[in-house]
Amino acid sequence: MIIHPQIQGCVARNCHPMGCRAAVLQQIEQVRAAGPFNGPKRVLVLGASSGFGLASRIALTFGAGADTLGVSFERGPSDKGLGSAGWYNNIWFRQAAEQAGRIAVNLIGDAFSDTMRQQAIDVIRQQLGQVDLVVYSLASGVRVMPDGTQVRSVLKTTGQPLQGWGLDLEHDALVQQSLVPATPEEIRDTVTVMGGEDWQRWMQALQQADCLAPGARTVAYSYIGPESTYPLYRDGTIGYAKEHLHATAETINLQLAGIGGHAWVSVCKALVTKASVFIPVLPVYLGLLMGVMKERGVHEGCIEQMQRLFADKMYGPRGVVADGNRLIRMDDHELEPAVQAAVSALWPKVTPENFRTLGDFAGLRQEFMQLNGFELPGVDYGAPVNVASLTELTP
């Protein structure tokens, strides 16, 4: 069958498996071109199939020579469709890693569950012994608690209602969006899903199972952004969750003291991920930011961010480069005053008629499409894909 993209709003309803392969291989080549670095050799990546998690795994495997275990919640091909992009990312990554002589194990399931924690512990004991690094890169709107209840997060403000332009990728248009204030219960639920509680549960389980090597490190990913985005992000429900995540780093750091371990949060720059384009209003800022940063030659995608994080700021010659709050600031280029001044000057001028000329919204859309295997160079999208052969592939 010939696969055409199906986009609904800011959600991709399908993917192109061969395009996903091209995207994974492209990131691998970028890491190899950057050169090797002395990093961890046994790594657990939670949320390993796309975005920061996948880029972390690629950077560590092909930059530091790490063996990895990746956990992700993805769906394979069935009578309902071809499956998710992350499903194929896992397959192509594993194949490339094994060809390079590295261990690459994929576990597919709910990373919030105690069952998955035990499966991961079993694999670590059998194939890795212990891990030197745990990367926490989970992004989900729902968390199933140990008692079986479901808790859902919301993307809302916590003060005044907020109105602004949002981006509709399906129609390549701006749409007016409104965010209403969250209730106290909604704030608590968002923190439960997206805060640091599950990260801490993972680290406790791994430590109790003696799966953490002496001096093991862990890092989780976050975003703060400039003041102009505070009403929709830092002061919103997602911001409350991220603050909880930041505080949890200190708790985990104390927990790991007995083995000489440490916990950090990497504050990343605004990037095109499946999660970020879904946040109301934020994609308009992102489109403007991409244009400004590309003009200044400081734009980074997920793979460039993760390469720099591990090679320079976590395992580089200076050791871990962090502030007093255990935050590794990978948003340093984004928050440069000149960059923010340029973005702030553009934002009030944005209209549905002129937005394409004010930022790099074409680049934003292309990066989104590439997350799902479309618009990659070197891929023949007019060629039919053998669906039967895809069903034989396993992560």
Side-chain angles (χ1 to χ4, degrees):
M1 64 180 294
I2 296 177
I3 303 172
H4 301 285
Q6 299 172 7
I7 309 300
Q8 183 177 351
C10 286
V11 178
R13 294 300 182 188
N14 69 340
C15 71
H16 197 291
M18 304 317 297
C20 291
R21 181 176 184 270
V24 169
L25 295 180
Q26 183 182 82
Q27 291 182 71
I28 290 171
E29 288 309 308
Q30 287 180 258
V31 170
R32 283 176 166 159
F37 60 92
N38 185 24
K41 303 305 180 187
R42 301 163 296 175
V43 181
L44 168 63
V45 182
L46 302 168
S49 57
S50 65
F52 287 123
L54 175 63
S56 299
R57 205 175 182 193
I58 290 172
L60 292 165
T61 296
F62 295 96
D67 295 325
T68 63
L69 165 60
V71 178
S72 57
F73 191 77
E74 299 293 346
R75 66 184 188 280
S78 69
D79 56 0
K80 295 182 179 180
L82 286 173
S84 60
W87 177 269
Y88 296 103
N89 291 340
N90 284 334
I91 291 171
W92 307 130
F93 168 81
R94 177 182 58 77
Q95 289 186 0
E98 289 177 348
Q99 288 171 5
R102 302 268 60 88
I103 296 172
V105 181
N106 293 312
L107 291 178
I108 307 299
D110 182 6
F112 289 128
S113 71
D114 291 335
T115 299
M116 181 54 69
R117 270 184 273 274
Q118 187 57 53
Q119 289 183 37
I121 287 169
D122 293 342
V123 170
I124 291 170
R125 285 171 169 168
Q126 294 164 10
Q127 301 199 45
L128 301 177
Q130 293 177 316
V131 293
D132 311 310
L133 173 68
V134 178
V135 174
Y136 191 85
S137 184
L138 293 183
S140 174
V142 183
R143 178 181 173 189
V144 179
M145 304 301 289
D147 63 1
T149 59
Q150 287 191 350
V151 180
R152 295 184 178 275
S153 64
V154 297
L155 296 172
K156 294 184 177 182
T157 66
T158 59
Q160 298 298 315
L162 177 70
Q163 286 191 331
W165 292 115
L167 183 62
D168 181 342
L169 288 168
E170 178 184 0
H171 301 101
D172 189 27
L174 292 191
V175 293
Q176 193 69 29
Q177 292 182 323
S178 299
L179 279 74
V180 298
T183 66
E185 182 181 9
E186 288 175 324
I187 296 173
R188 288 194 302 270
D189 286 350
T190 303
V191 171
T192 298
V193 176
M194 304 178 69
E197 182 181 83
D198 183 68
W199 181 25
Q200 185 178 1
R201 286 176 65 88
W202 268 101
M203 298 310 298
Q204 287 175 332
L206 293 167
Q207 189 170 6
Q208 290 170 0
D210 195 28
C211 286
L212 298 178
R217 299 175 182 179
T218 183
V219 62
Y221 298 139
S222 184
Y223 181 70
I224 294 177
E227 280 192 42
S228 59
T229 66
Y230 282 4
L232 62 99
Y233 198 97
R234 189 171 185 179
D235 296 336
T237 53
I238 192 171
Y240 274 69
K242 294 304 183 183
E243 284 298 324
H244 185 273
L245 184 78
H246 300 175
T248 303
E250 182 62 35
T251 303
I252 296 175
N253 198 63
L254 294 172
Q255 172 188 320
L256 298 179
I259 60 170
H262 295 282
W264 313 92
V265 170
S266 173
V267 181
C268 301
K269 71 178 287 286
L271 284 171
V272 180
T273 67
K274 292 180 181 180
S276 69
V277 297
F278 194 70
I279 299 172
V281 183
L282 188 66
V284 174
Y285 164 76
L286 181 53
L288 298 174
L289 177 72
M290 285 177 61
V292 170
M293 294 189 74
K294 285 184 178 181
E295 285 180 2
R296 287 163 169 72
V298 292
H299 173 70
E300 292 174 315
C302 286
I303 194 63
E304 291 88 358
Q305 277 265 290
M306 296 301 97
Q307 170 71 21
R308 185 160 68 97
L309 168 66
F310 295 117
D312 297 341
K313 293 208 172 185
M314 281 193 71
Y315 295 95
R318 298 175 293 171
V320 178
V321 181
D323 65 18
N325 295 315
R326 315 205 63 78
L327 303 179
I328 303 172
R329 300 308 294 256
M330 297 303 298
D331 58 351
D332 44 1
H333 298 326
E334 175 186 352
L335 296 185
E336 287 179 0
V339 170
Q340 285 303 311
V343 174
S344 296
L346 291 173
W347 205 338
K349 301 176 183 178
V350 171
T351 69
E353 293 74 33
N354 70 6
F355 76 96
R356 298 176 191 85
T357 66
L358 294 182
D360 187 24
F361 289 90
L364 186 158
R365 188 181 189 282
Q366 183 180 47
E367 288 193 20
F368 173 79
M369 298 301 290
Q370 290 181 347
L371 288 175
N372 301 288
F374 297 103
E375 299 186 15
L376 271 297
V379 179
D380 183 0
Y381 290 102
V385 174
N386 187 331
V387 177
S389 65
L390 293 176
T391 62
E392 298 174 1
L393 300 174
T394 57

